[in-house]
Amino acid sequence: MAHLETQPVILAGEGWDDYGLVDSGHGRKLERYGDYRFVRPEPQAMWTPRLENWDAHGEFVPGSDEDGGGRWLFDKPVPREGWPLAWNEVSFTAQCTPFRHLGFFPDMAPVWDWMREMLADKSDANTLNLFGYTGVGTLALSAHGPVTHVDASKKSVGQARENAALAGLEDRPVRWLIDDAAKFAAREVRRGKRYDGIILDPPKFGRGPTGETWRLEENLPGLLADCRQLLDSESKFLFLTVYAVRMSSLALAGLMEELFRDLPGTIEHGDLSVREDQEGRLLPTAIFARWRNNG
């Protein structure tokens, strides 16, 4: 029976050559993306910034509503079509998107490291990335075997393929699928499929390629139940991240404990965070729950 660790875990991401959290505070954060610096909103940065002046190439100014919107304001030239970055051997394109992010989620770097550690002894692991976005996590997993990458956005999957080509990894065994993640998982259960590991990063709200509606609180339990059916006692992990919700990581872990009770291993939960380059202050970004099987 999977054991639930009730004490939360803080999974802290460190900066690397092409990314770092320079400073944060007063509801904003200053980050470096290669040669460019940007300011973005960050409601959880309630403290005072360390630096008096933030020299940035651009800033995302949010709209007046809570659910999104806003625009980029640029003080210096920035390549509108993007510029190349890299995490380990995975190269990809960063770009200022209308959704305030830059084409990947840097706070996921410790998750990519952790998944690789869980698969360290395998070169033929069969893994699944649901809501895979632009494919950086998929390409990280592909070092250990075949990956099925699923996202409802044709544009995101297209960018993921371009990132694979940019990294010289287009020959890796990846299935790039434009599909509704929940429907795909349900079909895989009916087909009797199994995976060695699953990562899923569902949005608070979204739509599938044919208009399907996704609401996290309503649809996550069913999706996670299907993911459980795609794993067995030989599988290695499931990692779930959730952003921008009024929810505790313990709630995610409690759901996972109920669904994974017949599997061995451990269930953990907590916060994803990024550590500032200089002072080491931790900025929380998301909550997570994960199941790992070290047996």
Side-chain angles (χ1 to χ4, degrees):
M1 178 178 177
H3 170 68
L4 172 62
E5 295 283 355
T6 56
Q7 190 70 24
V9 174
I10 297 177
L11 199 55
E14 310 286 345
W16 68 91
D17 287 348
D18 276 352
Y19 172 78
L21 176 61
V22 179
D23 197 8
S24 62
H26 292 169
R28 302 188 303 161
K29 58 186 175 183
L30 173 65
E31 300 163 290
R32 54 178 178 86
Y33 290 81
D35 294 331
Y36 303 95
R37 291 187 172 201
F38 300 98
V39 177
R40 297 193 292 158
E42 184 46 74
Q44 298 197 87
M46 296 183 287
W47 43 76
T48 301
R50 175 177 50 84
L51 302 175
E52 289 187 11
N53 298 308
W54 285 5
D55 183 20
H57 290 76
E59 178 172 1
F60 187 88
V61 179
S64 58
D65 60 83
E66 184 180 325
D67 293 328
R71 60 195 179 104
W72 286 96
L73 299 178
F74 297 101
D75 293 323
K76 302 177 184 180
V78 174
R80 300 305 171 92
E81 299 304 315
W83 61 99
L85 299 180
W87 176 83
N88 292 340
E89 84 281 10
V90 180
S91 298
F92 53 93
T93 297
Q95 185 179 19
C96 297
T97 74
F99 309 105
R100 83 177 57 190
H101 49 75
L102 283 96
F104 77 108
F105 295 103
D107 56 333
M108 290 294 291
V111 180
W112 305 331
D113 282 328
W114 180 83
M115 293 189 301
R116 284 184 159 188
E117 290 173 7
M118 295 300 299
L119 299 174
D121 61 342
K122 299 182 74 68
S123 60
D124 60 348
N126 188 23
T127 55
L128 173 63
N129 187 358
L130 296 174
F131 310 95
Y133 194 40
T134 57
V136 181
T138 292
L139 295 173
L141 282 171
S142 70
H144 296 276
V147 188
T148 300
H149 173 107
V150 182
D151 198 282
S153 168
K154 182 178 180 180
K155 183 176 181 180
S156 292
V157 175
Q159 184 62 59
R161 286 179 173 272
E162 291 179 12
N163 284 338
L166 180 64
L169 303 177
E170 63 267 46
D171 293 333
R172 289 236 177 130
V174 178
R175 286 200 300 161
W176 304 103
L177 302 179
I178 304 167
D179 205 341
D180 178 81
K183 287 187 174 181
F184 176 81
R187 289 198 304 272
E188 290 289 87
V189 171
R190 293 194 294 270
R191 294 168 182 148
K193 301 290 187 178
R194 57 90 55 192
Y195 290 91
D196 292 294
I198 299 175
I199 178 173
L200 61 161
D201 182 21
K204 179 180 178 180
F205 176 83
R207 293 193 183 278
T210 57
E212 302 91 340
T213 299
W214 167 270
R215 291 183 175 85
L216 184 83
E217 291 85 353
E218 297 176 11
N219 301 121
L220 181 61
L223 173 58
L224 201 58
D226 283 339
C227 287
R228 159 61 193 92
Q229 296 304 311
L230 298 175
L231 302 167
D232 60 27
S233 60
E234 300 299 316
S235 300
K236 291 293 187 179
F237 70 85
L238 180 140
F239 203 106
L240 165 66
T241 54
V242 174
Y243 290 80
V245 294
R246 296 182 178 92
M247 185 184 297
S248 166
S249 64
L250 187 58
L252 301 180
L255 173 62
M256 199 173 289
E257 180 187 32
E258 177 182 85
L259 297 172
F260 285 58
R261 64 174 66 247
D262 59 333
L263 288 180
T266 303
I267 295 167
E268 298 169 313
H269 68 97
D271 282 1
L272 284 185
S273 64
V274 179
R275 192 183 306 277
E276 288 183 1
D277 282 343
Q278 298 298 322
E279 297 297 322
R281 182 165 50 188
L282 289 176
L283 176 65
T285 58
I287 59 174
F288 76 89
R290 67 187 182 188
W291 167 76
R292 58 180 171 87
N293 181 14
N294 292 323

